[in-house]
Amino acid sequence: MTATESETRGTGELTALVRKAWSDALGHDEFTDEDHFFQVGGHSLGALHVVRDLGEALGRRIPVRTLFRNPTVCGLAQTLAADA
């Protein structure tokens, strides 16, 4: 497996984790990977739930500002992969 394949697989797994955390926090899955969290029903308490769930799944602390700065599924997954 090449480094690029490993990165893609890692990002794909993170994308799935982010989607799940968003779905749980929002109470629906009516969003795309490019939708803005706060434009599909997200709010600050939901953001806290997202980073808590992701932090537990990844075994590390994720500051809530990470979601505020990366408010799409793709953006958040890429940032989490880069910070790993």
Side-chain angles (χ1 to χ4, degrees), residues 55-82:
E56 288 176 1
L58 298 173
R60 59 184 163 150
R61 184 183 170 280
I62 300 169
V64 72
R65 73 176 172 269
T66 304
L67 174 57
F68 282 93
R69 291 179 180 164
N70 303 279
T72 66
V73 169
C74 285
L76 185 54
Q78 289 172 355
T79 297
L80 292 174

Side-chain angles (χ1 to χ4, degrees), residues 27-48:
H28 66 81
D29 60 0
E30 300 295 319
F31 55 85
T32 70
D33 290 351
E34 297 299 329
D35 283 335
H36 191 288
F37 180 75
F38 297 101
Q39 293 176 347
V40 293
H43 47 75
S44 57
L45 184 57
L48 291 172

Side-chain angles (χ1 to χ4, degrees), residues 2-65:
T2 67
T4 303
E5 289 171 337
S6 177
E7 289 170 9
T8 301
R9 192 175 92 194
T11 302
E13 291 170 2
L14 280 171
T15 299
L17 279 174
V18 172
R19 279 190 206 118
K20 171 81 169 95
W22 276 40
S23 181
D24 290 348
L26 295 169
H28 66 81
D29 60 0
E30 300 295 319
F31 55 85
T32 70
D33 290 351
E34 297 299 329
D35 283 335
H36 191 288
F37 180 75
F38 297 101
Q39 293 176 347
V40 293
H43 47 75
S44 57
L45 184 57
L48 291 172
H49 286 277
V50 169
V51 297
R52 180 202 62 207
D53 291 351
L54 290 172
E56 288 176 1
L58 298 173
R60 59 184 163 150
R61 184 183 170 280
I62 300 169
V64 72
R65 73 176 172 269

